[in-house]
Amino acid sequence: MKVLQFPLARITIVFVLGILLAFYLKPNPEFAFVFLGITICTFCTAYFLLRKKFSRTIYFGITTYLLSFAIGVSTQIVHTDFYQKSNYVHHQTIFEKNHLITITLREKLKTTPFNERYIALVNRIDKHERSGRIILNIRKDSLNHTFEIGNQLQIKGVLYKNSAPKNPNQFDYGKYLENKQIYAQLYADVDEIAINPVIEKNIWYYTSKLRTKIISNLEKNDFNKTELNVAIALILGQQQDISPEIIRDYQYAGAVHILSVSGLHIGFILLFITFILKPFPNTRNGSLLKLIIILLSLSLFGILAGLAPSVVRSVTMFSFVAIGTHLRRSVNIYHTLLISILLILLVQPSFLFDVGFQLSYIALFFIIWLQPLLASLWIPKNKIARYIWDILTVSFAAQIGTFPLSLYYFHQFPGLFFVTNLIIIPLLSIIMIFGVLVMILAALDSTPVFLSKILEWSILYMNKIINWIASLEQFIIKDIPFNTYLFLSSYLLIVAAVIWFKKPSFNKLAVVLLSVITVQLSCFKNYWNIENQQEWILFNSKKNTLIAERKAENVILYTTENLLKTVEKEEVLKSYLVGNFSSVRAKKLVPNILFFNGNKILIIDSSGIYPKNTIPDILILRQSPKINMERLLQTTKPNIVIADASNFKTIQKLWKTTCLKQKIPFHATAEKGFYTIH
């Protein structure tokens, strides 16, 4: 694979490995910095001793890779807020009792049915200066004030740590926030908030004001709200107000990537700016002025779009393309890609763990690496056919590259992705041109109605096309089980196959066949693991009781009558079935007594009726039964008491107190999550 012959490629890979090691193993910072110091000294020594022939010696290469690895480890530690002594996580009792917390609003997030949400920076806790990022939730039922980015607020409250998923195989939102250096959330009513009249006016404040101004001016032109929200996502990268139905349609059609600003969008913007600057002379000074304008325009757009990982990556990469063009040199796209990765991760290593960042880079790499091979399979003579073929080959290259990653994260595959891209990409180019122009004019308070209407109608028809493609659900493959073993072995097979197709040989074919065997072994390992597993799970299901008994891939469900027919549509259960390569064999109503692996399980519902003289190992309470808890515990003597989420919270507190007195463990699924027996 020629790309690995670049020294920069190997250096980048080793640097990324350093970030990964620091992220997962969390080494002692002092040890990491000592290691960095040693590698710097070793590198310098090797350089001065071997500088006349360092290109031909392995020792200089080893010291270079060690230094790159140490920089990766140190970069991750330096940019991890948890290691900062001023971070709020190190403040005593911050998660235990109320404190006076002073914060500054940084970014508006998507609202929930109950809360307006913001990312906020912690300034002070009580009288101590602190730092760190939190999620601020302001309850909607009390919201009578619009907050601005840059507002400084004082709130008396308690921070809540990020919690683990309450059900198995669910998306770990707490870990997702932690990867973004957010370790806690704060909940408040408006009447509990004191607002500092002085607003912190920084780059985030001004970009937020500019976005608000643009949206306000477009609303004055009667720009339809649905299309406006999509326009703001396409041009400015802000997805907060897009309806869940629109996002679902784009996901099913395989076009959700266009709702987050990426290389495709930045490429259109670069072409548009270059076209506008054509009248500038191609003299040395004229070329330099064009470069400065392009770099400033791309940078300002990146800031305006909220510096999302995909935006930063694309702006950085196309900035290097512009610089290479200015220097009149052929731009090696692999070098451009690698330099952009290094620069971005040096500044913000947490981007490495962002799904959008991963998908963007892998898609772009496969477009560069695989698309020329696919395009060479057929060379149309007709210009229109060539244009269509180019779009198809780019789409297939990106989809092949991101296929394992998409299955790993989303467990679904849009079968009509090529149809979507064939129709949408030409339309998107028109939308981007008009969109950028309309946004600029809206920022200058002079948006012609006819231009905003052209943009609105273009997005309207694009949404209709996307909705039509998404409605063909028979082409959408959902709930595909996929784990780490299949993920790694699939990429091994894809890479080996592409290398073989590029330049066939017996050795490369042997590697492809070994990769196929690796995929088969991964499937066999999954099958073996599942066949030797059995477990009993009480899910954390609000207002309902949901129990699963799994032996190998077969699941027996126990639930309430109102959920019996629709239980397989519950997201809680779907995640579990997909994560365990399982399917439902039978559905039954919840009985009073169950047995599993030698455990006798007594279940008491709202009736409060249960068999007398029963001594269970596990006692489950559901639907808030009216019982005398002390008497029940004395007669049944269970090893543990479990209350599912169908019980009232107030009664669960009383049960917990009684269990503590009787020295019997108490497990509430609403508090601690699901309960399992193996």
Side-chain angles (χ1 to χ4, degrees), residues 212-221 441-445 447:
T212 303
K213 182 180 180 181
I214 290 170
I215 294 169
S216 176
N217 285 334
L218 291 178
E219 285 175 341
K220 289 176 184 176
N221 282 358
L441 293 173
L444 299 174
D445 295 318
T447 313

Side-chain angles (χ1 to χ4, degrees), residues 235-384:
I235 314 300
L236 303 181
Q238 304 297 307
Q239 302 181 39
Q240 296 95 325
D241 297 319
I242 299 182
S243 69
E245 293 76 22
I246 293 286
I247 292 176
R248 187 188 62 240
D249 284 348
Y250 276 77
Q251 286 175 337
Y252 286 178
V256 72
H257 59 282
I258 73 172
L259 289 180
S260 57
V261 178
S262 61
L264 183 65
H265 304 69
I266 305 297
F268 282 134
I269 291 170
L270 179 60
L271 289 173
F272 183 59
I273 296 169
T274 305
F275 175 76
I276 292 174
L277 297 177
K278 266 194 173 182
F280 281 65
N282 283 324
T283 61
R284 184 176 180 181
N285 290 334
S287 180
L288 179 62
L289 182 60
K290 282 200 286 188
L291 175 65
I292 292 170
I293 293 172
I294 288 171
L295 295 179
L296 283 175
S297 301
L298 292 180
S299 300
L300 288 172
F301 179 83
I303 293 168
L304 191 61
L307 295 176
S310 58
V311 178
V312 173
R313 184 268 305 169
S314 304
V315 167
T316 305
M317 191 191 68
F318 279 102
S319 295
F320 277 101
V321 171
I323 292 169
T325 304
H326 167 72
L327 295 174
R328 305 287 201 279
R329 295 175 183 173
S330 59
V331 181
N332 187 307
I333 194 65
Y334 289 114
H335 279 146
T336 303
L337 207 62
L338 292 167
I339 289 170
S340 67
I341 290 174
L342 271 176
L343 286 177
I344 291 167
L345 296 183
L346 276 169
V347 175
Q348 190 56 268
S350 64
F351 280 2
L352 181 62
F353 309 101
D354 184 273
V355 178
F357 182 87
Q358 295 169 13
L359 287 170
S360 294
Y361 264 108
I362 289 175
L364 192 55
F365 172 77
F366 271 86
I367 289 170
I368 297 165
W369 187 47
L370 180 57
Q371 192 270 341
L373 176 63
L374 297 177
S376 66
L377 297 176
W378 178 50
I379 303 175
K381 295 180 180 179
N382 183 281
K383 285 186 177 181
I384 296 174

Side-chain angles (χ1 to χ4, degrees), residues 412-527:
Q412 67 179 27
F413 178 72
L416 294 177
F417 70 90
F418 58 93
V419 176
T420 303
N421 288 332
L422 197 61
I423 299 171
I424 294 302
I425 287 178
L427 183 56
L428 183 63
S429 62
I430 298 170
I431 290 172
M432 288 299 297
I433 291 169
F434 278 102
V436 171
L437 182 60
V438 167
M439 297 296 167
I440 292 171
L441 293 173
L444 299 174
D445 295 318
S446 57
T447 313
V449 174
F450 79 93
L451 277 180
S452 64
K453 285 301 174 185
I454 291 174
L455 178 61
E456 180 187 336
W457 293 334
S458 301
I459 293 173
L460 173 65
Y461 285 110
M462 183 174 71
N463 286 345
K464 286 182 179 295
I465 293 167
I466 291 290
N467 178 260
W468 173 73
I469 296 172
S471 67
L472 304 172
E473 294 196 21
Q474 61 269 33
F475 294 100
I476 304 163
I477 307 170
K478 302 177 186 177
D479 302 328
I480 305 170
F482 209 73
N483 61 10
T484 306
Y485 298 114
L486 290 172
F487 168 74
L488 295 175
S489 59
S490 296
Y491 267 120
L492 179 63
L493 176 59
I494 289 170
V495 172
V498 174
I499 292 172
W500 177 66
F501 273 117
K502 277 181 172 285
K503 196 173 182 181
S505 70
F506 176 78
N507 290 339
K508 291 175 182 177
L509 179 60
V511 173
V512 172
L513 295 175
L514 285 173
S515 302
V516 172
I517 293 171
T518 304
V519 173
Q520 292 174 329
L521 288 173
S522 298
C523 293
F524 178 75
K525 178 175 176 57
N526 287 335
Y527 175 79

